[in-house]
Amino acid sequence: MTETLPDTRILVIEDEAAIRRFLTIILGSAGFAVEEAARGREGIARAATSAPDVIVLDLGLPDLDGKAVVAAIREWSQVPILILSVRDAEAEKIESLDAGADDYVTKPFSSGELLARLRALLRSRRPSETEKPVTAVGPLVIDLARRLVTLDGAEVKLTRKEYDVLALLSRHQGRLVTHRQLLTTVWGPAHIEDTHYLRIAIGHVRDKLGDDAADPRFILTEPGVGYRLK
Ligand code: CA
């Protein structure tokens, strides 16, 4: 929590002045240099002119929907985008993630939750870490270079698909990976609707890791959206 983020520039796109002010205060005190935009089009323009390191985007904007803002920015930029969602906007949240947003928090959120998500996004964008071949979550070690998974030092035998699912989650450790991303990458674009493949594979991985979906040590479920490796 005390990790500072010097010279990290963040763009906040949010139409509600009170929430914008709250975000500016907590992000500013965490060491971010904060820029603000109150509309989607203004946000897209600022993203282009000021090249922020990370973007926080509210999905409920008056002029453009969140998916359109994400898609416009993704035309030229891979900047991490964290979306702010509300509980009854599941469809738009998922569309925005599929359009290329990286993660989300649901309003109302705590400042600790928001900062943890932002740090995970920024960490995973550092080149030295994105190429990191070994991921550890406590006793679980995923070695991408050797395609080897161990738990407490003992090899865990996974099928190819089970391994591919776990490997994709480990490449995005701490970040949300959507059903669509997992299905497209592991099974191919023809299987985007086959969420039962994914549910079964995740179930098998959890069984082999002795992980409990209700109280997970390793793989967190984001209901209706995707999965996240701790
Ligand atoms: Ca709003």
Side-chain angles (χ1 to χ4, degrees):
M1 287 303 298
T2 53
E3 184 188 353
T4 55
L5 299 154
D7 305 322
T8 302
R9 289 172 314 123
I10 188 162
L11 172 62
V12 172
I13 308 173
E14 162 68 78
D15 59 307
E16 275 179 73
I19 297 176
R20 217 165 52 237
R21 195 157 52 242
F22 167 71
L23 289 169
T24 302
I25 290 167
I26 60 173
L27 295 169
S29 56
F32 287 96
V34 187
E35 269 202 77
E36 302 171 32
R39 295 287 184 274
R41 284 181 220 288
E42 181 193 353
I44 294 166
R46 281 193 178 265
T49 53
S50 65
D53 298 297
V54 60
I55 293 175
V56 173
L57 168 66
D58 175 43
L59 289 188
L61 295 170
D63 60 334
L64 286 177
D65 71 24
K67 181 186 169 189
V69 176
V70 172
I73 292 170
R74 283 287 174 265
E75 288 288 324
W76 81 89
S77 172
Q78 289 304 309
V79 59
I81 301 175
L82 179 75
I83 53 182
L84 305 180
S85 176
V86 290
R87 259 175 231 297
D88 58 3
E90 290 298 298
E92 191 181 12
K93 176 175 80 186
I94 293 166
E95 285 174 358
S96 300
L97 291 164
D98 287 338
D102 297 280
D103 209 338
Y104 72 94
V105 293
T106 304
K107 293 178 180 178
F109 50 83
S110 69
S111 58
E113 182 186 6
L114 178 75
L115 292 171
R117 290 273 184 272
L118 288 171
R119 289 195 179 98
L121 286 181
L122 289 163
R123 257 197 314 275
S124 64
R125 292 293 161 138
R126 282 184 206 147
S128 61
E129 294 209 7
T130 49
E131 300 304 319
K132 192 180 59 166
V134 177
T135 303
V137 188
L140 172 65
V141 177
I142 301 150
D143 184 334
L144 297 174
R146 297 161 67 201
R147 292 184 67 91
L148 179 68
V149 177
T150 57
L151 182 65
D152 291 316
E155 183 177 355
V156 180
K157 300 270 188 205
L158 298 176
T159 67
R160 189 194 166 117
K161 295 291 189 210
E162 291 162 8
Y163 173 82
D164 288 346
V165 167
L166 187 58
L168 187 60
L169 294 177
S170 84
R171 288 192 184 93
H172 300 270
Q173 186 179 13
R175 291 170 53 192
L176 175 67
V177 185
T178 66
H179 295 151
R180 192 186 187 90
Q181 290 169 315
L182 282 157
L183 287 163
T184 305
T185 307
V186 176
W187 282 272
H191 294 286
I192 278 172
E193 305 293 328
D194 294 330
T195 49
H196 59 289
Y197 287 11
L198 181 57
R199 200 169 53 242
I200 291 165
I202 290 275
H204 288 161
V205 173
R206 278 181 169 143
D207 286 347
K208 291 177 182 183
L209 299 179
D211 203 9
D212 178 359
D215 182 22
R217 283 199 296 167
F218 306 123
I219 299 174
L220 307 177
T221 301
E222 302 278 349
V225 182
Y227 298 93
R228 177 195 307 275
L229 185 67
K230 271 198 180 173

